[in-house]
Amino acid sequence: MNDTKIVPNAVLDKAKKIKLFAMDVDGILSDGKIIYNSYDVETKAFHVQDGMGLVALKEIGIILAIITGRTSPMVARRATELGIHHVVQGRDDKFVALSALAEQLGFSLEECAYMGDDWPDLKAIDEAGLGVSVPNGADIVQQVADVVTIKKGGDGAVREVCELILKAQGKYDDFIQRFL
């Protein structure tokens, strides 16, 4: 995370327990805009730093998941590129999907982080062990989140959360050592 943001110890304690990091797409992995080209093909832009952060979490054993209300081939493609095996598309009942995935994997909700920005994400953020939103998220979603990132969705916000988890679990320095 950006060193200018002070993370409360209670948030760090929650991040230490995370084994599953699930996130929405539109407004989180992307900026929330849905763009169609002249061939009616949907396009999305993803931030490369978010991808590197997710790769880092995967390497330390955190299970990654996408839970999104829309269905998009761009999401499936990005998930494949990042090695995200748990992709739930076309679901507005994010909490139900998160709970089912946690149960399937043998995790408690306390061991799950969920990141979202809009009303369908509200209960998942509230009930997850670590609930995260973004500054461009709905006001009520930000209010129930344990942490709101500095960066906006689609602009490196996911990377902030990845770094928070890596640091809380004592894995950040070891991971970046390979780049020094």
Side-chain angles (χ1 to χ4, degrees):
M1 288 198 60
N2 185 329
D3 290 341
T4 61
K5 182 170 185 163
I6 297 171
V7 179
N9 286 335
V11 171
L12 292 172
D13 289 342
K14 290 180 176 201
K16 284 178 190 174
K17 300 173 186 173
I18 299 305
K19 295 181 180 178
L20 169 66
F21 179 35
M23 69 215 89
D24 185 21
V25 174
D26 296 316
I28 298 299
L29 282 171
S30 76
D31 65 7
K33 295 177 184 152
I34 299 167
I35 303 167
Y36 298 99
N37 68 19
S38 60
Y39 302 103
D40 277 340
V41 175
E42 180 181 338
T43 62
K44 294 183 185 296
F46 299 103
H47 200 294
V48 70
Q49 289 181 358
D50 289 343
M52 179 56 86
L54 292 168
V55 166
L57 287 187
K58 187 176 175 195
E59 285 190 21
I60 68 160
I62 305 291
I63 304 295
L64 304 174
I66 290 173
I67 303 173
T68 180
R70 296 179 46 78
T71 300
S72 168
M74 297 287 92
V75 171
R77 178 178 176 179
R78 187 65 172 147
T80 298
E81 288 174 352
L82 296 174
I84 299 173
H85 302 293
H86 303 282
V87 180
V88 181
Q89 296 198 65
R91 295 281 297 269
D92 282 333
D93 56 346
K94 310 285 185 80
F95 174 69
V96 174
L98 176 65
S99 296
L101 182 57
E103 184 176 335
Q104 173 191 338
L105 296 171
F107 299 145
S108 69
L109 285 175
E110 185 179 43
E111 296 170 308
C112 300
Y114 184 83
M115 185 173 186
D117 70 316
D118 210 352
W119 300 333
D121 303 304
L122 191 58
K123 187 166 183 174
I125 290 169
D126 192 40
E127 298 289 333
L130 179 65
V132 183
S133 191
V134 291
N136 53 313
D139 288 342
I140 192 164
V141 176
Q142 291 183 51
Q143 290 169 17
V144 301
D146 295 303
V147 66
V148 176
T149 61
I150 294 170
K151 294 186 178 179
K152 292 181 179 180
D155 195 30
V158 171
R159 172 67 164 265
E160 282 187 45
V161 179
C162 294
E163 289 186 15
L164 168 67
I165 294 169
L166 286 165
K167 288 175 181 179
Q169 295 188 7
K171 307 288 185 170
Y172 180 81
D173 290 337
D174 290 341
F175 184 79
I176 65 164
Q177 196 62 39
R178 72 178 76 181
F179 303 106
L180 298 176

